Amino acid sequence: MLHLDLMQALLAIACGSAVGFSLALIGGGGSILAVPLLLYVVGVHDPHLAIGTSALAVSLNAFANLIPHARAGHVRWKAAFIFAATGVVGAFIGSTIGKAVNGQRLLVLFAILMIVVAVLMLRGRRSGGPDRYPLPHANPRLAGVGLGAGALSGFFGIGGGFLVVPGLMLASGMEIIHAIGTSLFAVGAFGLTAATNYALSGLIDWPVAAAFIGGGVAGGWLGAHGAKKLAKKRGALNAIFAGMIIAVAIYMLFHSLRG
């Protein structure tokens, strides 16, 4: 699309706002909607271009959200660097494979992933108990889980927080608040790696990305304010949002398989 008219710019801002709002309001899983919104609402017709653009937006959004978590002391920096060090290798490999996969097949796999994410959202995040960080031999486990999470993130151009957060908890024993803060550094690094790989192949729509990211910042600010007021309804919001993800996934499957 690389030239953006007024209507496309407004749609990109609106969709970015919706993703930023949902991320701030309910946490992980929101960025999974970036690709279908870019495809079916904004009008980015190439699946690979949508994934590359999404990866850039997800990366910058994660780094922006990392700042308040770091200030609050919720980031385990050593674990973050170990996890991200192998994860960026996985993200490069995953994004390279993703670029080589047929676009329609990639969308079918993406829709299946969306359903998995929705199911995990319905189950809810488990607290994981008290902070046991660091567990013995945590570093090798962090490296291994980071490699796998990065590969999945790079392949689909997603944040992967739904996988990174429990992975950090399992590998290192950290409590969920530290896992969420630490995950943002990894998600940002994975997304930036995938976006760079896609950019080298000309697979990022820069005007759309700028509008989408701008909308995401505004939506994230509104969502952060709404999160405090709607904290008691978080379970219901998760259920509604998961249902929305499943509906979009079914549409993607129908649209891709029919084509």
Side-chain angles (χ1 to χ4, degrees), residues 203-246:
L203 293 173
I204 290 182
D205 192 319
W206 296 101
V208 167
F212 198 93
I213 292 165
V217 171
W221 183 81
L222 291 173
H225 282 268
K228 296 179 181 179
K229 297 180 180 180
L230 297 172
K232 295 181 180 180
K233 300 180 180 179
R234 186 64 54 87
L237 291 170
N238 273 344
I240 293 170
F241 196 74
M244 185 189 308
I245 290 177
I246 291 173

Side-chain angles (χ1 to χ4, degrees), residues 15-241:
C15 290
S17 297
V19 170
F21 182 81
S22 64
L23 277 170
L25 192 63
I26 63 173
S31 62
I32 197 83
L33 283 178
V35 169
L37 285 173
L38 287 169
L39 284 169
Y40 304 121
V41 179
V42 180
V44 178
H45 299 296
D46 182 354
H48 293 107
L49 195 63
I51 288 174
T53 303
S54 170
L56 178 63
V58 166
S59 173
L60 295 183
N61 185 77
F63 282 132
N65 285 310
L66 173 66
I67 296 172
H69 277 278
R71 287 177 175 173
H74 295 159
V75 180
R76 301 285 195 184
W77 288 107
K78 181 179 179 181
F81 283 120
I82 293 172
F83 199 90
T86 54
V88 295
V89 176
F92 179 80
I93 295 171
S95 56
T96 300
I97 296 172
K99 289 192 297 182
V101 174
N102 174 271
Q104 292 305 311
R105 290 182 180 177
L106 196 57
L107 291 183
V108 170
L109 294 173
F110 194 96
I112 294 171
L113 176 70
M114 289 178 70
I115 294 173
V116 172
V117 172
V119 170
L120 291 174
M121 288 180 68
L122 288 172
R123 290 180 59 191
R125 281 177 173 168
R126 297 177 181 176
S127 64
D131 190 19
R132 297 173 292 140
Y133 177 85
L135 290 175
H137 311 295
N139 292 350
R141 288 198 297 271
L142 283 167
V145 176
L147 181 66
L152 185 66
S153 173
F155 184 78
F156 288 110
I158 59 172
F162 70 95
L163 183 63
V164 174
V165 171
L168 285 167
M169 293 167 65
L170 178 66
S172 71
M174 67 177 68
E175 60 183 328
I176 190 167
I177 186 62
H178 290 133
I180 291 172
T182 304
S183 75
L184 291 169
F185 180 81
V187 167
F190 298 169
L192 186 60
T193 302
T196 301
N197 199 353
Y198 272 81
L200 291 173
S201 300
L203 293 173
I204 290 182
D205 192 319
W206 296 101
V208 167
F212 198 93
I213 292 165
V217 171
W221 183 81
L222 291 173
H225 282 268
K228 296 179 181 179
K229 297 180 180 180
L230 297 172
K232 295 181 180 180
K233 300 180 180 179
R234 186 64 54 87
L237 291 170
N238 273 344
I240 293 170
F241 196 74

